[in-house]
Amino acid sequence: MALIKCNECGQMVSDKASNCPQCGAPINTQIVNNTEELTHTPKLKIIIEKGFILRNTTLEIKSENNIIGEYPFRSEFEVEIPVYPKIELTFYGYKIKLALNTNENYTCKINASFLLSYELSNDEGKIIKSDKTNFFVSLISFFIPIIGLIYYFVSKENSPLKAKSALNAALIGFILSFIHILKVIFTE
């Protein structure tokens, strides 16, 4: 897969796309001579479903700090890319890090609803890795912020979505506690 420039809006678009995800214009691509090689190249299909997305955002895909692609989207979205050993997906400030076998096909389904989650599976449908934000962890982190901070540092590598939701709730809890303390001090 390669990125090409849309003739209408100038955004970078996959050469496999039939239409630009930004403006909807048809994409003109060249016919590749060796189609057999392309069909046997392992692929990672990234699907963003059930969008609770209020504004346009961009999915950035990197492999070892090299940008593979940037894809603007607003609601449900799908893209297929070659498999790299290490892939990092970033959108809405969340990072999903994937370690993949370059000889297998994968599907990464991202649920972008209120509680963000993702699931990485192989061709057989076996779930390799999954993570999701957790309302219960966030609630505890909000009321007891130190637990949220500890949870973040302990689980940020294995469960980055859950860890970041705990950190965000803990920070909000700290800020509100600090404001309350200041209010008590200055009203007495």
Side-chain angles (χ1 to χ4, degrees), residues 48-53 91-92 94 96 109-119 130-139 160-166 168-169:
I48 297 178
E49 53 189 19
K50 297 180 184 173
F52 182 70
I53 298 165
F91 69 101
Y92 268 150
Y94 288 95
I96 299 172
K109 290 184 181 177
I110 301 171
N111 184 323
S113 63
F114 181 69
L115 295 174
L116 184 67
S117 66
Y118 79 91
E119 206 173 75
S130 67
D131 188 17
K132 65 181 176 180
T133 55
N134 188 303
F135 179 75
F136 182 70
V137 169
S138 297
L139 188 66
L161 299 180
K162 198 181 295 183
K164 188 164 183 178
S165 68
N168 290 340

Side-chain angles (χ1 to χ4, degrees), residues 82-120:
V83 172
Y84 295 88
K86 293 181 180 179
I87 291 182
E88 183 179 282
L89 310 173
T90 305
F91 69 101
Y92 268 150
Y94 288 95
K95 290 185 182 194
I96 299 172
K97 294 181 180 181
L98 306 173
L100 306 174
N101 178 347
T102 57
N103 297 321
E104 287 189 63
N105 290 316
Y106 296 94
T107 301
C108 183
K109 290 184 181 177
I110 301 171
N111 184 323
S113 63
F114 181 69
L115 295 174
L116 184 67
S117 66
Y118 79 91
E119 206 173 75
L120 177 69

Side-chain angles (χ1 to χ4, degrees), residues 5 32 44 59 70-71 81 86 127 142 149 159 169:
K5 193 175 267 193
V32 178
L44 168 63
L59 170 66
E70 291 182 271
Y71 304 92
I81 62 169
K86 293 181 180 179
I127 297 172
F142 174 76
L149 286 176
S159 301

Side-chain angles (χ1 to χ4, degrees), residues 7 9 22 30-31 35 61 72 106 119 167 177:
N7 292 331
C9 67
Q22 182 70 26
Q30 297 176 341
I31 297 172
T35 56
I61 305 172
Y106 296 94
E119 206 173 75
L167 178 65
S177 297

